[in-house]
Amino acid sequence: MAQGMLQRWTTPRVALDKTSVRLLTFASFALPILVWCLVSYVPHIWHPKVEITDPGGVSYFREGTLVDRAVFEIELEKKLKADPDAPAETLPQGVPANPVYLPAPHEVVTAFYTAFTTPPKRSNEPWLHESLWHSIQIIAWGFFWAMFFGIPLGVMAGTYAAASQLIEPFTEFFRYLPAPAFGALAVAILGIYDAPKIAIIFIGTFFQMVLIVAATTRKLNIALVEASLTLGCKGARMIRRVILPGILPDLYRDMRILLGWAWTYLIVAELIGTSSGITWFITQQARYKNFDNVFAAILIIGLIGLITDMILARLGKRLFPWHTGK
Amino acid sequence: MATPSSLKKWTTPEIQDRNERILKRPKALNIQGLDKSFYHKGRAVKVLEDIDFTAYKREFVCVVGPSGCGKSTLARLIAGLETIDGGAILMDGAETKGPGPDRGMVFQSYSLFPWMTVKKNVMFGLVEGGMSKNQAEIEALQWIDLVGLDKFAESYPHQLSGGMKQRVAIIRALANQPKVLLMDEPFAALDPKNRLKMQQYLLEIWQNIDITIFFITHDLEEAIYLSDRILVLEANPGRVKEVVSVPLPRPRADDTLLSEPFLATKAYLESLVHPVEEKQIDMEDKLSMVRMVPVDSEVPDIF
Ligand SMILES: Nc1ncnc2c1ncn2[C@@H]1O[C@H](COP(=O)(O)OP(=O)(O)OP(=O)(O)O)[C@@H](O)[C@H]1O
Ligand SMILES: [Mg+2]
């Protein structure tokens, strides 16, 4: 059986059995976590620092601070030279440690909880859940406006060659302009609050969306369009009755992929004007060297993305029962 | 368009009479001096040249010809899915402009709307034609019933077999009541048994409604079995080679496929479609290549 499984794994483009799917999905998360655990808990895989447990008379050592391993060894050497017979208790002591920016898994796991329960430093600052909610709103609005303009333009470009020729060359050019580069401009025009952030999400996804939707529309089987023509359907009715429903499952998949892109633009968008949302939380926590909270926040973004995508994928299967291909 | 001598003896007075009566009917589809070229790497390739043909009301016409002679192109031109280079296509005396519901089409690839149930597919053209949803539904269900798919009215196309899909495609076109139904090798993908069943279905329906069928096939037996007249095209460029009236009585007898007039017609069509035996490809030469492949010694030489 194991051999059969292995054979499946190494045959190109063959669907996996259920066990393999579960096993590999689990491994896909377990392997990176395992590496993280090894680096965190097994001494000297990395551990370039030493956490001082006893200063042992070294003037600048404090209990609990991290020093480079080399520095610690030099100080230890010095002490031993000065007094080779010094008892072990009087020497500086410490345990191998990783830099503060790599917290151990258990610290991050607790941070998942504590990050939500820690009150903000100042009363007018938002809690983590408020920051998250703010980020989600920025994404939702930016993506909504991108879809509002992007889908109609893309469908037009994919349907009519003339529309394609009018819309796509400029879009093709504009999509190479990095969205963050418009940050300063967006602030100058739209102020320092949410509007410029929404604009950055919009710029980051809209142009790609037009091109992707146009390509998706063009991929619609031309025979369906021709069949509808011979059945007396044309013009705007054809778009509504044939083209839109025909591309809907693929359009839905495109939106799922683009929504992922929107999240990658979020961080830049939130640094523009007054820093806000999850990005504000992350930078703030990094400033206080609470890297466990930083990791927790980053992972929360990943989880939100993964979970929404999974929900949307499930929903897609229900919405488009005729769509047998993925 | 005289009947060729080899078929003359089978053309009984009744058949002769019937064929003549067909030609006296009003013209349903009139193709005049039709030209069509495609541009390939900047060079025009003439696909159809000076096609003249008339199909009369309620006639069943089949089109045969060597592969690539432009049969599909001809059907697409009639349907309005390709632009005409020269000549004209007239429906009931009026020149056609672009696709329209008066010329229905059934494609080899079915082309059903995958997001619509069978019922919605059949209703599509009716609703587009301005019929109310309720009325369209009633009519659609009647058509679905007619071809024995009532159990599948709410199924999606991907849940149907090829033959069932093709039946839906046919009734979707027919429900729209086109004057001419264009069919481009609609049964080519079906197995022989299903194909025969579909042919019988089609004849049954055709006999009961007012429709002219323009049916493309490369299967000569199918053409003879189905049609009143057969339009034979020749290739490079596609031109009308001959129009053959089928010397068989209607309705077709059960053993018609084995009858002498049937076989004589087939032989005659064969001689038209593949005039001089195509130069025998030198199989010997190719076989020597095959022989170079070592034969597994465990496989006994069965020849
Ligand atoms: N869109 C197109 N662009 C360029 N050439 C085309 C196009 N459509 C068809 N042709 C060419 O026109 C010729 C006729 O094609 P067509 O499909 O009409 O032949 P056919 O008689 O239906 O062949 P078959 O029996 O194989 O279906 C072929 O040589 C083909 O290469
Ligand atoms: Mg063809």
Side-chain angles (χ1 to χ4, degrees):
Chain A
M1 185 206 135
Q3 204 188 355
M5 208 185 254
L6 202 68
Q7 193 168 12
R8 243 182 222 219
W9 291 7
T10 52
T11 315
R13 310 207 58 160
V14 164
L16 290 173
D17 55 294
K18 268 231 162 79
T19 328
S20 299
V21 169
R22 289 223 187 95
L23 194 67
L24 293 174
T25 310
F26 175 74
S28 155
F29 283 96
L31 289 177
I33 291 175
L34 181 70
V35 171
W36 187 17
C37 287
L38 286 176
V39 171
S40 298
Y41 299 132
V42 181
H44 299 304
I45 284 190
W46 190 31
H47 291 87
K49 300 266 183 181
V50 172
E51 185 182 346
I52 307 297
T53 52
D54 183 346
V58 180
S59 55
Y60 62 96
F61 280 10
R62 296 271 176 286
E63 201 176 320
T65 56
L66 294 178
V67 296
D68 282 348
R69 194 147 70 194
V71 173
F72 181 81
E73 266 153 21
I74 288 168
E75 293 298 338
L76 192 62
E77 203 85 334
K78 272 196 208 152
K79 286 275 172 207
L80 281 174
K81 242 190 208 145
D83 181 7
D85 306 322
E89 306 92 69
T90 63
L91 290 176
Q93 282 169 31
V95 290
N98 280 331
V100 356
Y101 56 79
L102 183 70
H106 72 271
E107 291 169 318
V108 173
V109 169
T110 30
F112 259 97
Y113 175 72
T114 52
F116 280 102
T117 53
T118 315
K121 285 260 176 337
R122 280 184 223 108
S123 60
N124 63 344
E125 285 172 354
W127 290 65
L128 172 57
H129 63 92
E130 289 170 327
S131 299
L132 269 174
W133 178 235
H134 190 258
S135 295
I136 289 172
Q137 281 176 311
I138 296 286
I139 294 248
W141 279 113
F143 201 66
F144 168 79
W145 287 117
M147 288 204 298
F148 187 84
F149 294 107
I151 292 179
L153 282 174
V155 170
M156 292 302 283
T159 306
Y160 299 106
S164 160
Q165 209 52 53
L166 185 65
I167 295 167
E168 288 189 63
F170 178 75
T171 314
E172 190 75 51
F173 155 74
F174 208 104
R175 83 181 165 124
Y176 282 104
L177 309 185
F182 291 88
L185 197 61
V187 169
I189 298 171
L190 296 167
I192 55 167
Y193 296 110
D194 289 354
K197 302 173 203 294
I198 292 171
I200 294 300
I201 304 273
F202 176 86
I203 293 171
T205 48
F206 169 78
F207 296 96
Q208 309 286 349
M209 190 180 285
V210 171
L211 296 174
I212 289 176
V213 171
T216 295
T217 309
R218 270 193 286 272
K219 268 206 324 234
L220 176 68
N221 189 352
I222 183 73
L224 296 181
V225 174
E226 292 181 340
S228 76
L229 281 171
T230 65
L231 290 167
C233 187
K234 52 179 72 153
R237 280 191 72 81
M238 154 114 63
I239 292 185
R240 200 167 63 78
R241 293 260 287 156
V242 178
I243 293 178
L244 277 181
I247 63 170
L248 207 53
D250 288 335
L251 200 61
Y252 186 81
R253 187 212 48 208
D254 291 345
M255 292 308 123
R256 269 173 57 200
I257 294 171
L258 282 164
L259 188 58
W261 290 34
W263 277 97
T264 65
Y265 282 108
L266 177 70
I267 302 298
V268 194
E270 287 185 331
L271 287 173
I272 288 169
T274 51
S275 173
S276 70
I278 192 73
T279 311
W280 172 83
F281 179 85
I282 289 173
T283 40
Q284 198 77 348
Q285 294 301 316
R287 193 169 300 151
Y288 301 137
K289 295 214 169 13
N290 295 335
F291 286 99
D292 46 351
N293 283 351
V294 170
F295 271 75
I298 291 174
L299 290 180
I300 285 168
I301 297 180
L303 281 177
I304 291 176
L306 188 67
I307 290 167
T308 34
D309 194 65
M310 269 160 54
I311 292 172
L312 290 177
R314 281 277 162 89
L315 197 64
K317 279 204 180 126
R318 292 216 157 181
L319 287 174
F320 316 117
W322 68 87
H323 197 65
T324 41
K326 269 215 192 166
Chain B
M1 208 177 49
T3 315
S5 55
S6 63
L7 299 183
K8 218 162 219 162
K9 67 174 171 177
W10 306 109
T11 315
T12 61
E14 296 90 76
I15 293 170
Q16 178 76 31
D17 185 43
R18 190 186 130 76
N19 285 345
E20 278 169 11
R21 266 186 291 130
I22 289 177
L23 302 187
K24 286 197 191 108
R25 290 181 197 161
K27 293 171 179 179
L29 169 70
N30 188 358
I31 304 168
Q32 298 176 346
L34 189 67
D35 287 320
K36 177 71 188 172
S37 302
F38 282 115
Y39 290 86
H40 188 65
K41 290 183 184 158
R43 288 227 326 266
V45 181
K46 195 135 214 174
V47 176
L48 291 173
E49 188 173 75
D50 199 20
I51 305 280
D52 280 308
F53 182 74
T54 302
Y56 297 88
K57 280 229 149 60
R58 300 202 62 182
E59 192 181 14
F60 202 128
V61 177
C62 276
V63 185
V64 300
S67 183
C69 69
K71 303 185 292 293
S72 300
T73 308
L74 181 56
R76 292 173 57 80
L77 283 164
I78 298 170
L81 299 175
E82 302 275 359
T83 51
I84 295 172
D85 288 351
I89 295 170
L90 281 67
M91 289 284 299
D92 285 342
E95 200 166 325
T96 59
K97 283 195 188 69
D102 55 338
R103 285 149 291 144
M105 185 141 177
V106 176
F107 304 81
Q108 185 181 345
S109 57
Y110 318 128
S111 303
L112 298 177
F113 303 122
W115 60 93
M116 289 184 191
T117 60
V118 167
K119 187 176 81 187
K120 289 274 166 62
N121 262 287
V122 180
M123 284 167 63
F124 182 89
L126 298 174
V127 174
E128 286 310 307
M131 193 182 281
S132 77
K133 278 247 164 71
N134 287 337
Q135 185 59 29
E137 183 168 353
I138 292 168
E139 287 205 10
L141 288 174
Q142 280 170 353
W143 281 104
I144 292 168
D145 214 27
L146 180 73
V147 291
L149 287 174
D150 33 336
K151 286 207 188 70
F152 295 92
E154 299 297 334
S155 302
Y156 286 100
H158 76 264
Q159 296 166 310
L160 306 181
S161 74
M164 286 148 87
K165 280 186 222 173
Q166 200 53 283
R167 266 182 273 171
V168 178
I170 291 171
I171 59 172
R172 182 179 66 176
L174 286 175
N176 226 17
Q177 300 196 335
K179 292 178 187 135
V180 172
L181 180 63
L182 305 158
M183 305 180 85
D184 188 1
E185 307 200 22
F187 306 148
L190 305 182
D191 61 275
K193 211 176 122 208
N194 266 314
R195 189 178 314 154
L196 183 63
K197 230 163 74 188
M198 291 297 298
Q199 290 164 354
Q200 288 166 347
Y201 259 126
L202 185 62
L203 283 182
E204 189 104 345
I205 294 170
W206 165 71
Q207 271 153 14
N208 285 300
I209 60 175
D210 177 15
I211 196 165
T212 307
I213 295 185
F214 193 86
F215 189 108
I216 290 164
T217 178
H218 61 254
D219 181 347
L220 299 180
E221 294 193 5
E222 183 172 59
I224 302 164
Y225 181 72
L226 291 174
S227 59
D228 298 316
R229 286 189 303 153
I230 300 173
L231 170 62
V232 184
L233 296 182
E234 64 183 7
N236 301 320
R239 263 190 292 237
V240 178
K241 175 124 186 178
E242 196 165 326
V243 181
V244 179
S245 290
V246 177
L248 293 173
R250 291 235 192 235
R252 302 287 194 243
D254 287 342
D255 61 350
T256 194
L257 267 73
L258 298 171
S259 67
E260 274 195 70
F262 189 95
L263 296 175
T265 315
K266 190 179 167 197
Y268 180 65
L269 284 176
E270 203 89 58
S271 71
L272 288 179
V273 176
H274 311 286
V276 257
E277 270 308 301
E278 269 173 41
K279 238 197 280 163
Q280 279 277 315
I281 301 163
D282 200 343
M283 279 302 270
E284 268 311 302
D285 249 21
K286 307 233 157 136
L287 275 177
S288 63
M289 284 266 300
V290 177
R291 285 196 200 99
M292 280 160 61
V293 180
V295 176
D296 191 335
S297 57
E298 280 174 33
V299 179
D301 197 346
I302 53 168
F303 297 110

